[in-house]
Amino acid sequence: MTKDKSKSKKEKLEEKDIEATENQKVEESHEKENSKAEEKQESKKNKKSAKESKADELEELGLKLQDISDKYVRLSAEFDNYRKRTLKEKMELTKSAGEKILVNILPVMDNFERALQSIDSTKDIDAIKEGVHLIYSNFKDFVAQNGVKEIEAVDQLFDTDIHEAITKIPAPTEEQKGKVVDCVEKGYFLNDKVIRFAKVVVGE
């Protein structure tokens, strides 16, 4: 009887141990499941946060693009206004430059009119000559003030950059070979740029 009792106690103890182990296993599996569920939730949160961050980035890029587009439109409008303004100023400057030259040439025209009147009334040819020379001198000064300068030609070495040979003749002297012997039409510079080539006769 005592043996049976001790056996049953042992069996009971073993059963309790088995039950405790099973309970522990069940708890462990519950813990694992809970941790897996938590991990899933965390990964979902991470996925959400990644999606949210991408959405934020896209929104930020959209705002930057909008800002750049606005700046481009403003710059384009400003440039168009600047172009129109400078074009208008250029046209006005061209008009006013022409006006200035014409205003300054009017006194020369007045002098010519006076000379023509005096030619009809006077018999003093020397006075008329002096008047014409004076008008020519005034006109020469006027063009010089506006940057026009005569090209030196006679007795100068022939230079295709400033001279235009209309004919060649035998040089009167050995020194005049390859030089300008005569100038048929004067040439002029405007601020060191040739505006008319000197038409010359070259010795050979």
Side-chain angles (χ1 to χ4, degrees):
M1 283 288 289
T2 54
K3 275 183 183 180
D4 289 339
K5 277 182 183 179
S6 63
K7 267 183 186 179
S8 64
K9 277 182 183 178
K10 265 187 184 181
E11 283 172 1
K12 281 178 183 177
L13 284 170
E14 281 174 5
E15 280 174 7
K16 278 182 182 178
D17 285 341
I18 289 164
E19 197 177 326
T21 331
E22 281 176 359
N23 285 339
Q24 193 175 351
K25 281 180 181 177
V26 168
E27 281 177 12
E28 282 176 1
S29 68
H30 280 305
E31 281 175 9
K32 279 180 182 177
E33 282 173 8
N34 286 337
S35 67
K36 279 181 182 177
E38 282 174 6
E39 279 176 10
K40 278 182 182 177
Q41 282 179 350
E42 193 69 35
S43 68
K44 278 182 183 178
K45 278 183 185 177
N46 288 339
K47 280 179 184 176
K48 276 186 181 179
S49 64
K51 281 181 182 177
E52 283 170 4
S53 67
K54 277 185 180 178
D56 290 343
E57 278 178 26
L58 283 169
E59 193 178 344
E60 194 178 337
L61 285 169
L63 289 169
K64 280 182 181 177
L65 183 65
Q66 183 76 32
D67 188 40
I68 289 164
S69 179
D70 290 344
K71 280 181 182 175
Y72 170 75
V73 169
R74 278 198 300 272
L75 277 170
S76 179
E78 281 174 18
F79 177 73
D80 195 42
N81 290 336
Y82 167 77
R83 187 179 58 79
K84 284 176 183 173
R85 191 169 57 248
T86 49
L87 192 65
K88 190 180 176 184
E89 283 172 5
K90 194 176 178 181
M91 284 170 72
E92 284 173 3
L93 188 67
T94 307
K95 282 180 184 176
S96 63
E99 183 185 337
K100 187 183 174 185
I101 289 167
L102 290 170
V103 166
N104 289 334
I105 209 170
L106 289 175
V108 179
M109 195 171 171
D110 293 338
N111 288 335
F112 269 119
E113 283 175 358
R114 288 189 198 101
L116 287 168
Q117 285 171 4
S118 64
I119 284 168
D120 292 336
S121 60
T122 189
K123 290 179 183 179
D124 189 357
I125 294 171
D126 289 334
I128 292 168
K129 282 181 181 177
E130 193 181 332
V132 170
H133 280 294
L134 188 64
I135 293 165
Y136 175 70
S137 178
N138 287 340
F139 189 71
K140 208 171 179 181
D141 290 341
F142 162 73
V143 291
Q145 284 167 9
N146 284 278
V148 178
K149 192 171 75 173
E150 192 180 311
I151 294 172
E152 289 183 23
V154 180
D155 293 331
Q156 300 294 315
L157 279 169
F158 177 69
D159 184 354
T160 52
D161 290 336
I162 56 174
H163 301 137
E164 184 184 332
I166 56 169
T167 186
K168 288 182 179 181
I169 61 166
T173 62
E174 196 67 30
E175 287 179 0
Q176 285 185 308
K177 278 189 177 180
K179 287 186 178 180
V180 175
V181 177
D182 188 23
C183 181
V184 178
E185 188 178 86
K186 288 181 180 180
Y188 292 95
F189 290 113
L190 176 60
N191 301 322
D192 298 326
K193 180 191 171 187
V194 177
I195 55 170
R196 190 171 83 177
F197 291 94
K199 289 181 179 176
V200 296
V201 177
V202 183
E204 63 174 359

